[in-house]
């Protein structure tokens, strides 16, 4: 039988819904704050159990709070996911057809790239090739800005990648629609967009997972085939 949903659980859910996604440290603060305000027993190491209770009550609504990892720094994040419809369908209520087409084409560029990024130049070059309705580059720039604000994309120095929220929400969609290229991290078993790949066997790992896995090894070797890991280990001085 599912644990009882308290006002503390409801507060946690409402705040998370308003944010869409929340970093682990923020979620832990919210957990503590929600319990203290509503005078519910608080255990600092029981956030995942607390969320499981919320999820058991969200299940009939086809919703779930999911935990994921930022591919940039490896920090945990929590996002509220709608399981009843595909994520692209869900986006259709917020964006026009040609905006959605630009997003799909951007996603193609990012997922098919070697490093999990697509340049603004390459994305903007797609704007006047859209089948639904062509976009001017200025208009496309504005749409990309909205995708970043809405946490579907992240941008750094003119390079775009999928936001952590997008990866958490769209993991199944990406794995089923990009079967030939989408891969899971060999360490954390989550979808890996920004990753390093073993030249011998094709095993992929998130950059933060690479950093952690090889931290104590003098000679980095692939966890799958044991061949020498030829990629530069992030965070180590060459």
């Amino acid at each position: 039988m599912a644990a009882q949903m308290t006002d503390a659980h409801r507060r946690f859910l409402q705040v998370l819904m308003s944010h869409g996604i929340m970093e682990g440290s923020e979620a832990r603060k919210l957990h503590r704050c929600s319990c203290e305000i509503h005078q519910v027993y608080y255990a600092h190491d029981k956030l995942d159990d607390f969320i499981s209770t919320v999820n058991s009550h969200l299940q009939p609504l086809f919703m779930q709070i999911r935990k994921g990892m930022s591919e940039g720094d490896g920090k945990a994040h929590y996002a509220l996911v709608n399981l009843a419809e595909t994520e692209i369908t869900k986006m259709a209520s917020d964006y026009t057809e040609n905006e959605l087409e630009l997003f799909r084409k951007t996603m193609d560029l990012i997922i098919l790239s070697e490093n999990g990024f697509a340049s603004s130049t390459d994305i903007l070059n797609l704007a006047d090739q859209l089948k639904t309705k062509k976009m001017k580059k200025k208009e496309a720039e504005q749409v990309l800005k909205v995708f970043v604000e809405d946490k579907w994309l992240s941008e750094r120095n003119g390079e775009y990648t999928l936001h952590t929220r997008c990866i958490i929400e769209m993991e199944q969609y990406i794995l089923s629609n990009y079967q030939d290229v989408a891969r899971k991290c060999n360490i954390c078993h989550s979808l890996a967009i920004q990753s390093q790949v073993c030249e011998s066997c094709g095993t992929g790992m998130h950059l933060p997972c690479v950093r952690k896995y090889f931290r104590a090894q003098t000679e980095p070797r692939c966890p799958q085939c044991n061949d020498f890991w030829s990629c530069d280990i992030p965070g180590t001085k060459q």
Side-chain angles (χ1 to χ4, degrees):
M1 189 175 168
Q4 189 67 37
M5 184 101 151
T6 67
D7 285 341
H9 293 96
R10 291 185 193 94
R11 173 180 288 270
F12 184 93
L13 177 59
Q14 284 168 353
V15 175
L16 182 59
M17 281 176 76
S18 70
H19 283 73
I21 186 168
M22 197 173 267
E23 199 204 295
S25 60
E26 294 174 331
R28 288 190 291 275
K29 280 183 202 165
L30 177 60
H31 174 212
R32 179 175 182 168
C33 179
S34 300
C35 290
E36 287 177 351
I37 287 172
H38 294 287
Q39 299 180 333
V40 170
Y41 172 71
Y42 164 73
H44 71 90
D45 57 345
K46 298 291 183 188
L47 173 60
D48 287 350
D49 290 348
F50 185 84
I51 287 172
S52 289
T53 300
V54 178
N55 280 339
S56 65
H57 291 270
L58 287 176
Q59 197 174 357
L61 306 172
F62 300 101
M63 297 186 84
Q64 187 182 64
I65 297 172
R66 276 194 188 154
K67 187 177 182 179
M69 182 190 79
S70 163
E71 294 198 317
D73 57 19
K75 288 181 180 175
H77 285 70
Y78 294 85
L80 185 65
V81 178
N82 187 334
L83 306 173
E85 50 192 358
T86 67
E87 289 70 17
I88 293 283
T89 310
K90 195 164 53 184
M91 288 176 75
S93 58
D94 297 321
Y95 307 104
T96 62
E97 277 188 45
N98 64 335
E99 288 171 349
L100 276 180
E101 188 184 351
L102 183 66
F103 181 79
R104 283 194 192 96
K105 285 183 178 293
T106 301
M107 188 184 271
D108 286 345
L109 286 176
I110 290 168
I111 293 170
L112 298 174
S113 71
E114 287 186 5
N115 64 355
F117 283 88
S119 73
S120 56
T121 306
D122 288 344
I123 297 169
L124 295 174
N125 284 340
L126 299 171
D128 59 0
Q129 299 170 27
L130 301 180
K131 289 176 185 169
T132 43
K133 182 189 169 190
K134 291 179 172 56
M135 267 188 213
K136 290 178 179 167
K137 288 195 176 179
K138 208 76 185 159
E139 187 187 349
E141 282 175 356
Q142 194 54 41
V143 172
L144 285 176
K145 192 177 171 188
V146 171
F147 286 145
V148 170
E149 286 169 0
D150 291 348
K151 297 173 183 170
W152 294 111
L153 297 176
S154 293
E155 184 269 337
R156 190 174 70 211
N157 302 324
E159 297 274 315
Y160 289 83
T161 190
L162 302 184
H163 193 282
T164 307
R165 174 198 176 185
C166 180
I167 293 173
I168 293 174
E169 294 208 22
M170 292 201 182
E171 178 166 357
Q172 289 313 311
Y173 174 88
I174 292 168
L175 288 170
S176 57
N177 284 273
Y178 297 88
Q179 288 180 12
D180 294 339
V181 289
R183 62 170 63 86
K184 287 191 174 187
C185 173
N186 189 264
I187 303 300
C188 71
H189 309 295
S190 297
L191 175 67
I193 302 296
Q194 297 172 49
S195 62
Q196 288 186 353
V197 179
C198 174
E199 289 182 357
S200 300
C201 70
T203 292
M205 291 195 277
H206 287 119
L207 304 187
C209 292
V210 166
R211 194 163 47 237
K212 271 190 208 164
Y213 183 77
F214 292 130
R215 188 180 288 156
Q217 297 188 26
T218 49
E219 188 180 65
R221 291 194 168 274
C222 174
Q224 196 66 31
C225 71
N226 205 37
D227 271 10
F228 180 72
W229 192 267
S230 57
C231 306
D232 291 338
I233 311 303
T236 58
K237 289 182 177 139
Q238 300 302 314

